[in-house]
Amino acid sequence: MKQTILTFITQVNPDRVSELRTLLDVMGSNVEQNPYIPYLDLKLLHFSSLVLTDDDVYGAYLVFENNFDGELDQYLDDLYAHAAEGLHLIYSCCLDYPAGSATEKTQLLSYLRAHIVHPNAYHIGNVGRSAVRTQQEDALRDGFEDFLDEVVAQGDVGPASSIRKKVQTLVRSQPAFAWAANVEPRQTPLEYAVPRLKFAIAAVMALLLSPILIPLAIVWIVMLRWTETHEPAPPELDVKEHIKELVKREDRTHIVQNHMCSITTVKPGLFRRATLCGVLWLINLLARTFFDKGELSGIPSIHFAHWSMIDNGRRLLFVSNFDGSWENYLDDFIDKAAFGLTAVWTNTSGFPKTSWLVGEGARDGSRFKAYARASMTYTNVWYSAYTQSTVQTIDNNSRIREDLFRTLDVTAARDWVRRF
Amino acid sequence: MAELKAEDMQDIQGFVISGYAHLPCVSYLLLGISDPPSARGWLARLVNEVTTSEGKELISCLNVALTHRGLRRMGLDEETLDTFSRPFVEGMATQHRSRILGDGTENGPTNWDWGGNLTSEPAKPDETKAVDILLLLFGRDETTLDKLVNEHRARLAQCGLTLVLPLGAGRQPDIHEHFGFADGMGQPAIEGTIQTRDAAPRNVIKTGEILLGYVNDYGKLADSPTLRADLDPQDVLHDQPPVDPTEQARPSGASPPVMRDLGRNGTYLVFRQLAQHVAKFCHYLDEATRTLDEELDSTASDRLAAKFVGRWQNGAPLVLSPDTDDPALSKEDDFGYRDSDAHGFKCPIGSHVRRSNPRDSIGPDAAKALATANRHRILRRGRSYGVRPEDRRVDDGVPRGLHFLCLNADIERQFEFVQQTWINNPVFGGLDGEVDPLVGNLTKGDEIFTVQADPLRTRVHNLERFVTVKGGAYFFLPSLRALRYLASL
């Protein structure tokens, strides 16, 4: 099952920025019941956000983030069917919007299509699990937990194999759970093979072209080191007031996830732009192959994260839907993925001093956090289709269902029961 | 790292190095400043009475800390006030903090008896509850303490100070808190101090994790409030050291103004008054552990309480002694969870001690997990208050609980992180929809606690709020130099 990650990025009419901001803040204050986009009806959607950013140089942008199941056409039809009026009101505040009314479907959707930004790199925590499946498996697990409470209360637990039998009988005997027995695969063989094939081709190409690539790499390294040693030191940032605004929307009660949207300026010159482009390409290659089992470089808490170079590569947009607190997320980044994230953001202005692309940088914890906070924009609207689930619990729930009727040996059966 | 210098030990308040276990009687006076010039005069005199870290055995001890509001009223300039860390500047009771600390509904700052200093929220602070100064007084017995308290209370009026609230703790018969568990176990030890003498290496933390102006676990100097040198004409304070001692000075245009380090040898002190509902706790345990024949089962009830806590009543960690309260292990603190109890069969994953410090259990490998967890340690300095109930199962209406005090250099990365990412996190360590059974923020309705077991876990339901927050504030516990500077304003 394919998942698609993209953003629609449009320029906002300067005269209507405050009007749009008001509209978005109304949406954001009660996202599930907002009158513009009925998120709960969009069954393909995992996470979505609307961010209005105003920049002195680039002007006001509206970033509409969508992480959904399946292909774009189907999603756009669904979006239009449920939210035409709201989209029309929102995009009426944007430049070059052609539709005169919400009924002009072709104009509205072609406007959206024209402003699609596909990420340079992205990561998905629970590959191949649709939003609907995620919700169903969560309910299934809750049902099993309640059932197992009864098993315990009756004082008749028995060995793991007999516990499994009891749960299997429950599923077979209850029509409400019948769907659970037919497990669709997370990915088709093709979906699994294509990224690996791409990786193999890239590796072979790199080998074949090594006589050219190695001298190029040496030139690149010299240029990199020269650049690093001649760049001005990053400024000390005072982000207290900015953080005060950001945290008003963070750590909401009854939501175990948080949202982060960051826009940074790529350092001037083609060298940094090209380096960033290369680094993101490499990250994407790895994210499609090695990091498709729930963790991105050891970080187990990212549902959907994506990097997009925008404005002809002059700015970098990073958007993430993650579990837990921002502090914890950033600590994870610093402790487990400082290498990769330094390689990305060292190409942007204000990042802590870096050596050899991946050294130091984010390891300067408090300066890196100040930089990350300074780069963040205020998320006006943010929706999650499953507010109580982490990447790890979603995966655990999937494994409970996938292994329910599988033949398991004693150890595997014991491990299955431990999933509760 | 080398031992801290004697000069620094004279500068650091004694409360950092010692919890004064030899002084069983304590009283905390919460003060407000009504007349700043007189208050500065009071402080100038008080500095000479403040207990330092030199390690003398005294029959009474005195320490002092200030809120951000208190520093402002003492006369510290706005530019300097702004260099303190964000949580301290904003105070404990902002809306966002209430969410992450779990201070909603009954726990909410509007219900507090004191604290809730709101310096940055639109709502007007309740002046009667706001606190400027915390005076910590300790004595070896009631007579000594009473004399000390009376002496200090008598001074207040003519020194431009008001008494917001006296928080007397009373003498506790032993180290057990009101739910019956030995408290104060599992402390980190500050590198360079006497605390490391008996500490396991896994529990030693960098000096800069507690004391401002020293190198922290990231190898950087802990963020410290600073002020312009011209504001300190009498040279009371140290110069601010280079931001990064490992970094060579870069050539730059105009050299920045020389700054003085106001924070060095000081720390941030977190204070929360936690009321404990002992009868409710005992009843819950009784009812949750009735046998199939509806009989009470005191062994099962004690066992469930130990599962909540993660240690037995006398302190033995469940992970080392899962079945009995082994007295030989009552002080044991050199252990992890990963190798011996990855699934929580001995010490439940959601138990209070495992949440408060998951040690080596969370992350890809043990060493990394421990290193990461150790970036979130706090030095606890709490003590129980109120008398023990005569019958633990009868609600006698007498207030009792814990004055939770802790020290840390970075409130956000240490105290608040523990509270948010571990204690109140419904998905901590792979759990799904439960918080700390003792101090977690119960919001759901049917609150559960999972006791992992082989082959199948047990869940107990409908947990009640056994602990309620009654007050709290973030304080700065300055060095003696910094106190002298404040008095000189």
Side-chain angles (χ1 to χ4, degrees):
Chain A
M1 207 273 319
K2 184 188 169 179
Q3 288 143 317
T4 303
I5 296 179
L6 53 81
T7 48
F8 303 108
I9 302 184
T10 48
Q11 282 187 289
V12 182
N13 182 340
D15 299 331
R16 303 190 66 175
V17 170
S18 67
E19 182 190 338
L20 181 59
R21 181 168 290 130
T22 309
L23 185 156
L24 295 177
D25 285 341
V26 168
M27 277 183 81
S29 63
N30 187 359
V31 69
E32 291 190 353
Q33 261 72 48
N34 88 79
Y36 301 97
I37 302 179
Y39 280 118
L40 294 174
D41 294 335
L42 302 177
K43 301 296 181 197
L44 299 171
L45 196 59
H46 290 258
F47 291 90
S48 175
S49 70
L50 281 155
V51 171
L52 175 59
T53 104
D54 209 348
D55 183 273
D56 293 342
V57 179
Y58 294 91
Y61 280 29
L62 177 65
V63 179
F64 181 17
E65 176 205 9
N66 298 266
N67 307 290
F68 56 87
D69 295 319
E71 301 291 343
L72 176 65
D73 291 350
Q74 195 193 352
Y75 176 69
L76 279 181
D77 277 344
D78 199 36
L79 190 62
Y80 183 84
H82 289 103
E85 200 63 46
L87 289 173
H88 178 70
L89 284 170
I90 291 167
Y91 283 105
S92 294
C93 298
C94 293
L95 292 177
D96 306 322
Y97 177 67
S101 81
T103 53
E104 295 172 21
K105 182 175 180 181
T106 322
Q107 277 91 334
L108 201 165
L109 291 189
S110 61
Y111 179 75
L112 285 181
R113 283 179 193 279
H115 291 89
I116 289 176
V117 174
H118 292 285
N120 293 60
Y122 65 90
H123 169 75
I124 298 174
N126 301 106
V127 172
R129 264 63 58 84
S130 71
V132 170
R133 176 174 168 179
T134 301
Q135 289 159 342
Q136 283 178 331
E137 288 177 349
D138 189 52
L140 184 72
R141 190 250 173 103
D142 283 349
F144 288 176
E145 294 276 14
D146 291 343
F147 173 72
L148 291 172
D149 280 347
E150 285 171 36
V151 172
V152 172
Q154 285 157 9
D156 175 29
V157 172
S161 57
S162 96
I163 297 168
R164 267 174 67 76
K165 279 212 183 70
K166 287 181 179 131
V167 179
Q168 288 165 347
T169 313
L170 174 80
V171 171
R172 289 211 183 89
S173 64
Q174 296 223 359
F177 288 147
W179 59 271
N182 306 310
V183 187
E184 59 270 39
R186 298 180 186 186
Q187 287 181 297
T188 62
L190 200 64
E191 282 169 350
Y192 183 83
V194 167
R196 283 158 180 81
L197 198 65
K198 279 187 190 163
F199 187 88
I201 292 171
V204 171
M205 290 294 278
L207 262 181
L208 290 178
L209 295 176
S210 59
I212 308 167
L213 288 179
I214 290 173
L216 276 178
I218 292 169
V219 174
W220 175 79
I221 288 170
V222 172
M223 284 175 75
L224 173 77
R225 199 55 200 147
W226 190 88
T227 314
E228 282 176 350
T229 46
H230 288 76
E231 275 165 356
E236 292 291 326
L237 299 165
D238 183 8
V239 288
K240 277 201 187 102
E241 288 303 313
H242 187 51
I243 296 176
K244 208 187 280 179
E245 285 305 310
L246 291 174
V247 296
K248 283 183 182 163
R249 288 287 178 87
E250 287 178 11
D251 308 311
R252 283 180 256 185
T253 313
H254 300 298
I255 301 185
V256 300
Q257 306 131 354
N258 267 305
H259 186 257
M260 168 173 184
C261 175
S262 137
I263 298 178
T264 42
T265 306
V266 179
K267 285 173 181 167
L270 208 59
F271 177 76
R272 284 296 189 182
R273 232 184 290 172
T275 303
L276 177 58
C277 198
V279 169
L280 291 178
W281 179 83
L282 201 61
I283 287 179
N284 201 46
L285 199 65
L286 296 172
R288 299 283 72 69
T289 48
F290 291 101
F291 299 133
D292 64 345
K293 291 156 208 75
E295 293 190 352
L296 176 64
S297 178
I299 304 174
S301 54
I302 307 171
H303 292 269
F304 292 88
H306 37 118
W307 291 263
S308 308
M309 292 176 74
I310 60 174
D311 302 312
N312 290 321
R314 287 184 175 81
R315 289 202 290 172
L316 174 66
L317 168 73
F318 172 68
V319 187
S320 181
N321 299 275
F322 59 93
D323 296 322
S325 64
W326 188 89
E327 278 285 318
N328 187 36
Y329 182 50
L330 268 280
D331 282 348
D332 260 1
F333 254 132
I334 296 164
D335 291 337
K336 296 166 187 163
F339 188 90
L341 84 97
T342 299
V344 172
W345 274 286
T346 184
N347 298 299
T348 67
S349 300
F351 191 77
K353 188 173 84 78
T354 302
S355 52
W356 306 103
L357 191 70
V358 296
E360 302 180 73
R363 291 167 190 85
D364 188 346
S366 64
R367 263 191 239 177
F368 168 66
K369 283 181 187 170
Y371 159 85
R373 278 301 197 186
S375 80
M376 277 176 77
T377 62
Y378 184 74
T379 299
N380 302 78
V381 181
W382 177 54
Y383 169 75
S384 159
Y386 32 84
T387 55
Q388 304 291 308
S389 304
T390 63
V391 173
Q392 286 171 299
T393 54
I394 291 169
D395 203 60
N396 192 47
N397 295 346
S398 291
R399 301 283 292 273
I400 286 172
R401 178 174 165 221
E402 287 164 348
D403 293 345
L404 175 59
F405 288 107
R406 211 167 262 172
T407 312
L408 302 181
D409 63 23
V410 176
T411 317
R414 187 198 65 191
D415 290 345
W416 186 84
V417 175
R418 284 177 184 172
R419 293 189 175 279
F420 294 97
Chain B
M1 183 193 142
E3 296 287 301
L4 291 180
K5 294 194 202 90
E7 178 203 341
D8 288 316
M9 296 306 271
Q10 287 163 17
D11 196 31
I12 298 167
Q13 294 204 46
F15 199 51
V16 176
I17 302 300
S18 167
Y20 309 133
H22 64 292
L23 305 177
C25 298
V26 58
S27 192
Y28 309 108
L29 300 185
L30 301 170
L31 310 176
I33 297 173
S34 54
D35 178 49
S38 316
R40 286 193 288 270
W42 167 84
L43 188 60
R45 178 178 164 195
L46 191 81
V47 176
N48 303 316
E49 299 165 28
V50 168
T51 310
T52 69
S53 293
E54 288 162 291
K56 296 177 193 142
E57 282 276 304
L58 302 166
I59 62 161
S60 68
C61 287
L62 178 154
N63 289 109
V64 62
L66 296 94
T67 60
H68 194 254
R69 185 178 181 274
L71 292 172
R72 177 177 281 135
R73 292 172 82 94
M74 205 45 106
L76 198 60
D77 66 290
E78 287 300 321
E79 192 185 329
T80 306
L81 280 167
D82 207 37
T83 63
F84 282 86
S85 78
R86 193 174 58 88
F88 176 69
V89 172
E90 294 178 3
M92 191 185 276
T94 69
Q95 288 177 7
H96 178 247
R97 293 230 146 66
S98 289
R99 290 203 296 276
I100 67 173
L101 298 179
D103 296 343
T105 59
E106 303 108 288
N107 276 358
T110 47
N111 295 330
W112 289 0
D113 296 338
W114 62 275
N117 293 1
L118 300 169
T119 55
S120 62
E121 292 286 291
K124 196 180 176 330
D126 183 343
E127 292 291 329
T128 59
K129 290 183 181 180
V131 173
D132 293 328
I133 297 173
L134 165 67
L135 193 59
L136 307 112
L137 303 170
F138 303 83
R140 69 169 173 188
D141 51 38
E142 282 79 357
T143 322
T144 314
L145 182 68
D146 287 350
K147 185 163 163 283
L148 193 64
V149 170
N150 291 336
E151 188 189 316
H152 281 278
R153 285 182 69 153
R155 277 190 213 169
L156 298 180
Q158 73 259 33
C159 292
L161 299 169
T162 54
L163 182 62
V164 178
L165 196 66
L167 295 173
R171 181 198 283 265
Q172 297 298 323
D174 49 47
I175 58 163
H176 292 241
E177 50 71 60
H178 291 296
F179 291 153
F181 288 83
D183 195 20
M185 308 290 175
Q187 296 274 29
I190 308 174
E191 199 176 77
T193 71
I194 193 161
Q195 292 170 1
T196 57
R197 201 177 46 189
D198 304 316
R202 67 166 80 225
N203 291 319
V204 176
I205 58 174
K206 293 272 182 258
T207 316
E209 291 294 297
I210 304 295
L211 284 168
L212 306 184
Y214 291 84
V215 174
N216 65 17
D217 202 52
Y218 289 108
K220 305 287 172 185
L221 288 177
D223 278 344
S224 183
T226 54
L227 53 86
R228 289 204 322 270
D230 60 288
L231 293 171
D232 178 24
Q234 296 165 42
D235 296 333
V236 178
L237 300 168
H238 286 287
D239 277 350
Q240 184 190 20
V243 178
D244 185 345
T246 60
E247 195 172 313
Q248 287 182 349
R250 286 163 183 252
S252 60
S255 58
V258 177
M259 301 296 281
R260 293 275 155 82
D261 194 344
L262 183 62
R264 186 183 160 80
N265 287 334
T267 180
Y268 290 109
L269 184 155
V270 177
F271 193 153
R272 282 162 79 77
Q273 184 182 346
L274 306 174
Q276 290 175 275
H277 314 300
V278 178
K280 207 187 213 184
F281 182 70
C282 293
H283 278 143
Y284 180 84
L285 292 169
D286 284 349
E287 296 306 319
T289 53
R290 277 187 193 273
T291 62
L292 285 173
D293 314 325
E294 296 294 311
E295 297 293 321
L296 290 176
D297 180 346
S298 68
T299 313
S301 147
D302 287 350
R303 192 182 166 80
L304 180 59
K307 290 282 188 182
F308 278 179
V309 174
R311 285 181 183 260
W312 292 97
Q313 292 209 348
N314 290 319
L318 258 60
V319 65
L320 299 181
S321 181
D323 300 312
T324 53
D325 193 351
D326 184 350
L329 292 169
S330 64
K331 295 238 181 307
E332 187 54 57
D333 196 34
D334 187 12
F335 60 88
Y337 297 107
R338 179 177 291 264
D339 295 334
S340 53
D341 193 25
H343 301 285
F345 297 150
K346 298 172 185 166
C347 179
I349 292 167
S351 65
H352 179 66
V353 302
R354 196 155 168 169
R355 277 185 183 267
S356 308
N357 180 12
R359 298 173 187 249
D360 61 354
S361 64
I362 292 186
D365 65 83
K368 213 171 212 175
L370 179 67
T372 309
N374 269 348
R375 287 192 186 144
H376 309 287
R377 300 298 297 271
I378 52 177
L379 195 58
R380 278 144 53 232
R381 288 280 180 255
R383 290 185 180 214
S384 293
Y385 69 89
V387 293
R388 295 269 168 86
E390 277 182 29
D391 182 343
R392 286 160 52 85
R393 284 171 174 76
V394 175
D395 183 3
D396 57 8
V398 175
R400 60 174 63 86
L402 183 75
H403 289 133
F404 173 90
L405 282 79
C406 78
L407 306 176
N408 52 187
D410 186 339
I411 297 173
E412 193 170 24
R413 174 164 63 83
Q414 293 168 274
F415 168 70
E416 290 183 351
F417 184 99
V418 171
Q419 198 75 13
Q420 178 184 16
T421 303
W422 293 343
I423 297 283
N424 281 319
N425 183 357
V427 289
F428 172 83
L431 297 170
D432 194 7
E434 62 185 85
V435 295
D436 187 294
L438 298 182
V439 297
N441 187 27
L442 312 179
T443 57
K444 281 202 318 173
D446 176 17
E447 300 288 343
I448 55 166
F449 176 74
T450 307
V451 182
Q452 287 83 22
D454 198 13
L456 182 61
R457 93 287 178 283
T458 302
R459 299 196 300 175
V460 291
H461 288 263
N462 295 308
L463 260 64
E464 292 169 64
R465 206 182 271 276
F466 307 124
V467 172
T468 318
V469 184
K470 286 296 186 191
Y474 291 144
F475 294 90
F476 171 53
L477 186 80
S479 67
L480 272 79
R481 274 175 193 267
L483 287 173
R484 281 193 193 96
Y485 175 76
L486 291 171
S488 78
L489 288 170

